[in-house]
Amino acid sequence: MTDLQEKTNALELIISENTELKAQLEETTIKAKNAEAENKMLIDRWMLEKMKDAEKLNEANALYEEMIERLKASGVEQFARLQVDGIVRRSEEGAEFFAESTISTVCKHRIHAHEGGCASILFEYNSGKLISGGQDRSIKLWDTNTGLLSRTLYGCLGSVLDLAITHDNRSVIAASSSNNLFVWDVSSGRVRHTLTGHTDKVCAVDVSKISSRHVVSAAYDRTIKVWDLQKGYCINTIIFHSNCNALCFSMDGLTICSGHIDGNLRLWDIQTGKLISEVAAHSQAVTSISLSRNGNVVLTSGRDNLHNLFDMRSLEVCGTLRATGNRVASNWSRSCISADDNYVAAGSADGSVYIWSISKVDIVSTLKEHAAPVLCCTWSGLGKPLASADKNGIVCTWT
C-alpha cells in the first residue's frame, strides 16, 4: 500500500509536470505565430515602401522623358520654320523628314487586306509602312513599295474601328467594338496592354505627339478617356452628353480636339478634363478630325459632306472643301491632310477618292479604283504614297 501510494504520488507529479510543459509549449507556439505574423507584416510594409519608391522613380523617369520629348518637338518645330522648298531633313535619330507631297493619280497596289471591310489605316512615322485594321479583328502591316504583307498582329476581340501609333513606331493601339483598346509591341507582335473601362464600342483613339505615354480614346458610352501607357490604366475621364466620333491631340499634347454627333468641334484640357472652347463645325455628325503637320489647322469632315479647315487658335473657319458627288460614307469616315499641309484627301460613298488643294480650295484629282464606299484615307509623312481603304476590305496605294 505504501509502494502504491508513492507510485501514485510520483505519477501525479509527472502528470502535473506534463500539463505545465504543454501549457508552456502552447504559449511558445502562440508567441512564434505572433512573431511570424509581425514579421510578415513588416515584410509587406517594407515591400509596399519599395513599390512606392519604384513608382516615384518611374514617374520621375517618365517626367524626364516627357521633358526631353517636348524639347525635341520644339527643336523640330524651330527647324521646320527654316525649311526651304518644302523639304525638311534632319540626320539625328527619330527626327522629322518629309518631302513635298505629290498629287496622286495612279493606283500602284490594290490589296485585299481584310474580310468584311477595313475601317482604319495609317502610316508609320517617317516610313512607307502602312498599318490596316479590319472587321476580321486583325491588324496588318504592309510594305507599300511591294504591296506585300510584312506582319499580322492578333489578339483584338472585336472589329477594329480606329488605329494609332506611338511616335517611336514601337506600339500600335487599336480601338475596338469589344469596348476595349489593345496595345501591341510591334517588334514582338504581342499584346502589351488591354485597356478596359469603356462600356460601349471604342470608335476613336490617338497618341500624344510629344510623348509615347499618353493615349486618348472615345467610345459610344459618352466618355472620352485619357490613358497612361506606362501604368496601363485610365488617368482621366471626360463625360459629355453627345457621343464623340473622332478625336486627336494638339501638337503640344495638352489639348484634345474632339468631333461629336451633334456636329460640334470641342477642345478639352487634358489635365483638368474641362471644356476650353467649342464651335458648330457641321450641320450633321462630325466623322473625322485630323491635325495639320504644323499643328495650326484642324481638318473636320461631317455627314453634311463638307470638309472644314479651322484655325486651331481661334477656331475660325479658314476653308471649306466640297465636291459634287462626294458623299461621306459612314460616321467614322476618315479624311486626311498631306504631309506638306497643301492637300486634303477624302473618300466617298461612290468609291472615289477626292483630292483638294487647300490654297486653291478646289479639286485637283479624283481617284477611281474602289468598287465600294471608301471609309478612310491616309497620307505618308514622306509625302507619298496616299492610301485608301473601303467597305470590302480593299486597300489601294496611290502615286
Side-chain angles (χ1 to χ4, degrees), residues 116-259:
C118 176
S120 185
I121 50 173
L122 59 82
F123 280 95
E124 284 188 349
Y125 282 94
N126 303 328
S127 163
K129 259 192 186 171
L130 182 71
I131 304 162
S132 66
Q135 282 210 327
D136 56 8
R137 304 180 176 188
S138 67
I139 313 289
K140 294 181 179 180
L141 281 74
W142 306 89
D143 185 332
T144 53
N145 291 322
T146 61
L148 298 174
L149 180 68
S150 53
R151 181 162 224 165
T152 304
L153 305 174
Y154 297 104
C156 187
L157 301 177
S159 301
V160 179
L161 299 178
D162 200 14
L163 288 169
I165 189 166
T166 55
H167 204 269
D168 54 14
N169 291 333
R170 287 181 185 171
S171 299
V172 170
I173 303 109
S176 163
S177 63
S178 66
N179 309 351
N180 300 328
L181 291 121
F182 298 90
V183 184
W184 283 268
D185 184 282
V186 175
S187 58
S188 68
R190 290 180 183 165
V191 174
R192 208 174 107 218
H193 294 298
T194 301
L195 304 176
T196 57
H198 284 296
T199 56
D200 208 331
K201 62 187 172 195
V202 187
C203 54
V205 63
D206 195 28
V207 186
S208 172
K209 313 276 189 298
I210 58 159
S211 156
S212 296
R213 182 176 178 178
H214 292 119
V215 170
V216 65
S217 65
Y220 264 37
D221 55 7
R222 292 184 171 84
T223 66
I224 295 168
K225 286 184 181 286
V226 182
W227 308 83
D228 187 322
L229 279 193
Q230 206 160 54
K231 294 176 179 176
Y233 57 75
C234 177
I235 54 171
N236 203 353
T237 300
I238 298 164
I239 301 167
F240 199 72
H241 63 81
S242 176
N243 276 324
C244 172
N245 279 339
L247 46 70
C248 71
F249 270 103
S250 62
M251 286 305 285
D252 60 9
L254 301 175
T255 309
I256 302 163
C257 311
S258 63

Side-chain angles (χ1 to χ4, degrees), residues 20 35 67 210 219 365 391:
E20 201 175 320
M67 282 168 69
I210 58 159
S365 183
K391 248 180 182 168

Side-chain angles (χ1 to χ4, degrees), residues 257-272:
C257 311
S258 63
H260 297 254
I261 280 182
D262 62 6
N264 282 17
L265 166 66
R266 294 180 171 90
L267 304 185
W268 308 86
D269 186 300
I270 190 174
Q271 300 291 336
T272 62

Side-chain angles (χ1 to χ4, degrees), residues 310-381:
F310 289 90
D311 186 293
M312 185 69 183
R313 289 153 294 195
S314 63
L315 284 191
E316 288 177 3
V317 178
C318 47
T320 297
L321 309 171
R322 55 167 70 84
T324 309
N326 175 234
R327 288 180 296 114
V328 172
S330 82
N331 266 9
W332 307 291
S333 289
R334 312 297 193 197
S335 53
C336 67
I337 305 179
S338 64
D340 60 0
D341 298 340
N342 285 336
Y343 305 102
V344 165
S348 173
D350 64 359
S352 303
V353 177
Y354 293 85
I355 300 174
W356 289 266
S357 163
I358 292 175
S359 57
K360 294 174 186 172
V361 197
D362 199 11
I363 287 179
V364 289
S365 183
T366 305
L367 312 174
K368 294 182 185 291
E369 183 67 36
H370 294 280
V374 177
L375 299 177
C376 48
C377 298
T378 184
W379 226 303
S380 167

Side-chain angles (χ1 to χ4, degrees), residues 279-301:
V279 64
H282 296 271
S283 59
Q284 294 180 48
V286 178
T287 68
S288 172
I289 283 190
S290 44
L291 201 63
S292 63
R293 189 98 175 205
N294 60 19
N296 295 333
V297 175
V298 180
L299 168 70
T300 65
S301 299

